[in-house]
Amino acid sequence: MQNYLQQLNPEQSEAVLGCEGPSMVLAGAGSGKTRVLTYRIAHLIDRGISPFNILALTFTNKAAKEMRERIEKIVGSNAKNIWMGTFHSVFSRILRTEHTRINYPSNFTIYDSADSKSLIKTIIKELELDDKIYKPSVVLHRISAAKNNLISAEKYNQDEQIKQEDKMTAKPRLGEVYSLYQNRMMKSSAMDFDDLLFKTNILLKDQPDILLKYQHIFKYILVDEYQDTNYSQYIIIKKLAAANRNLCVVGDDAQSIYSFRGADIGNILSFQKDYPEAQLFKLEQNYRSSQNIVNAANSIIGNNQDQIKKTVWTSNGEGEKIKIAKTSTDNEEGSFVAKNIFEQKMNFQANNSDFAILYRTNAQSRSIEEALRKHNIPYKIYGGLSFYQRKEIKDLLAYFRLVLNPDDEEALKRVINFPGRGIGKTTIDKIAIAANIHQTSFWEIISSPNKYPGIGDATITKLSNFVDMINGFNRVSKTMNAYEIGQQISSISGISKEYFSDKTPEGISKYENIQELLNGLKQFSALEEEHDGEVRQTLEKYMSEIALLTDHDNEKEEDKDKVSLMTIHAAKGLEFNHVYIVGLEENLFPSQLSIHSRTDLEEERRLFYVALTRAKNTIHLSYAQNRFRYGNLIYSEPSRFLEELQEELTEKIGKKPIPKIDYNREEFNRPKPVIKSSFVKLGSVMQAKSSGTSNAEGIEEGNEVEHLRFGRGKILSIEGNDSNRKALIDFEKHGKKQLLLKFAQLKVIN
C-alpha cells in the first residue's frame, strides 16, 4: 500500500503527506501535479479517511475520470465513493438532491450556450430591441459575468452604477433582458452553467442547515487548477471549507489565462492571506520539457510582476534551441509550418499526433489548414463544432430533454415540428403569446389547447398527438434503460427515418451520427445494474452526464493520429513532442486589446508561457511581416515576447530579411476598421480603447516621444498618408524602428 510514496520526489512527497489544515501546492508546468493530487487522495483513504468525506474538484470530466482510475489502482473500488468531478457536475448533483430548497424540480434541464443564446434571441425579438446592439452573445456574456460575481437580476436592476455602464454601451434595457431570461429559465425548469454555481451559493447562504450538512460531509476538500476559479467558485469553496479547514488547492499562477471567463488570479495569489496558517509546497522540477524550453519559459514569465516566485528546473537534456522563423505573409507562414512538419515526420519517423500548432485566435487556422492539406497532412481542429453541438444530435437530445422535462421551452420549440408534423411558425407564435399572457409554460398551453382561442381544430389534433407521444415516452422511460428508451424515441419520433431517407453525403453523415449517439447510449447502459428492482442507467442519469461534457471528453479514436490545431487557451493541460506557435506579432500576440494595461499584458505573457510549456522536445516560433486581417493586408511588427526570450536559447531560421513593402501603394490606402472592446467590467466604468486613439495627426519630425514598449526616442522622419503614416524613430535603448503611427500609441514629450 505504501509503494506509491516511493514514486515521488521529496517535494511531491511532502505535498502528499501534509494532509491536515489548509495548504497550497504551487505546481510548475510538467511538475507532476496530477500525481500529487491523486496520491494525496489515496493517502487520505490509506490513513482511514472515508472516501465519502473527500471532495475533489476539477475543471474537466476527463481529468476527474483519469484521477479516479489512478486512485482505484492504489486503493481499490473505494475510490468510486469519492465526491469527485467538475465544479458543475458536483454542484448540479447537490442541487438535484436539495432541489426543494431552491424551488426547482429534481429533473431540471441544463442549458448549454446555444440554448441560452436562442432564448436570449427570442427575448430580444419580443422586446423589439435591435439585435445588432443587443447581440445575444454579448448579452449572454454580460449576464454570465453578473452571475459569476453573484449579482442576481434583481440586484443588477437596482445597481445605479451597473445601469449607467449599460447606458454607456447603448444597452439600457439589458437588466430587463436579464430578468426575463431568468424568469423564462425558471418557467422551463432549466439552469445554465453559471446557475449551477450561482444557485449553489444561494443554497449555502440561505439554508444554514444545508451548509452545515455539506461541511460535515466534506471534511477534506481538494481543488485542482485553483488559478482558474472565479469569484462564485471561490465563495463556495471558502464556505464549505470553513468548518474543518482541510483545504488543499493545487495550481500555478503562471498559467492563469481565463480572465475572459471570469477566472480571478487573485484567488491563488491571496490564498495565504485567506489562510495564514497554510503550508506552501512548491513543485519546481519539470519532467516534461528540455532545459532550453524550461529556461525560455522562465525568462518569459520572469517579466511579470503579479506572481508567486518559483524557479522551475529540469534534469532533462539541454535539447534543441527554440527556432524563430520570419515569413513575409501568413500564407508563407502556413507553408513553412506544414513543410517543416513533413520534414520532421520523414527524418524522425514521427507520428502526426506528435505535433501541435497553436495560435492566438481561431481565424489564424485558415492559412495553416490550406498548407497542411497541400502536404496531405491529416489534422484535427479542437474547439470547432463538437459532436454534441451538431444539429442532428441536438435534435435527438432535445427529444430526450423534453421527455424528462416537458417544461423545457427551448427543447419543445426545437422538435415540436421536427420531423414535420404540420405545426407551423404561426401556431408556435400563438402558443408563445398565450404562454406569456398567462405566465405559464409552452407545455401547459399545448397540453390543453382548447382553453386558448385562435388555435384551429386540425392543429389541436396535431398538438394532442405530439403531447400523447411525449407523455408515452415519459411513462416508459422509468422502466427502460437509457439505450432502450433512446432507441424508441429515435424511431417513433421519426428522427431516424428523417435522416436515413436523406441519401446525400451530408444526410448519410447525420444518420451515422445519430447511430453513434445510440451506440454511446448502449455503452452507457452496458453498465446496467439493478438495485431493489430499479433501473440505474436511466436516460435522466445519461443526460445529467453529457450536459457537462467538453470537446476533449468527446475525442474519437479516428482523431488520435492527427496534427492538433488549437488556440493556446484550448491547449492548456496538454503536451506534445513538437509545438509550433504561430502569429507572434504585435497586436495579434499580445492582442491589440491587451497592450494598454499591465494586468492584461501580463495575462498575455502567461498565455505565451502556457504555449511554450506544452512542448517536450522542440518549439518553432513564427511571425509574418504582412498579414491579412479584416480584409486588408497590414504590416506587422515582431511580438515583444520574442525580444524577451534569452538570445542564447534561440536560433533564427528561414530566409534572409524580407524587403519592406511600400505602404504608399494604392492597395494599402484603404481605411482600416476600428476595433473596440465590447466588454465592460461590472462595477467599474471602462472606456473602450480603439486602434485609432493615438494622436498620430499631431506628431511631427523632430518630436521627442515615448513608446509603451521601446521607451524614449526621437522621430527622424515621417512618410505615408492618412492611416498609413509611418515614422522612423531612433529609440535610446532599442535603436531605429519604423512604426505605423495609427498603432504606435506614441506620447509626445516635448
Side-chain angles (χ1 to χ4, degrees), residues 448-514:
S448 307
N450 292 311
K451 294 182 181 179
Y452 308 96
I455 301 177
D457 292 341
T459 302
I460 287 175
T461 301
K462 293 168 186 172
L463 291 173
S464 297
N465 290 338
F466 178 74
V467 168
D468 289 344
M469 178 179 69
I470 298 300
N471 281 334
F473 290 148
N474 182 272
R475 282 191 296 272
V476 299
S477 69
K478 295 175 176 59
T479 59
M480 292 181 169
N481 66 31
Y483 173 66
E484 291 166 341
I485 184 60
Q487 193 174 45
Q488 191 174 111
I489 293 171
S490 174
S491 175
I492 295 175
S493 69
I495 278 196
S496 285
K497 183 180 178 182
E498 177 81 13
Y499 289 117
F500 182 74
S501 60
D502 184 353
K503 299 302 181 184
T504 65
E506 293 81 6
I508 293 170
S509 175
K510 289 179 179 180
Y511 179 74
E512 288 173 347
N513 285 335
I514 291 289

Side-chain angles (χ1 to χ4, degrees), residues 19-36:
C19 293
E20 297 300 318
S23 60
M24 177 164 66
V25 180
L26 193 65
S31 63
K33 75 173 178 65
T34 304
R35 172 175 286 191
V36 167

Side-chain angles (χ1 to χ4, degrees), residues 93-106:
R93 177 181 167 186
I94 290 174
L95 290 174
R96 290 189 193 280
T97 302
E98 313 295 345
H99 64 97
T100 57
R101 299 296 193 98
I102 55 169
N103 298 317
Y104 260 80
S106 63

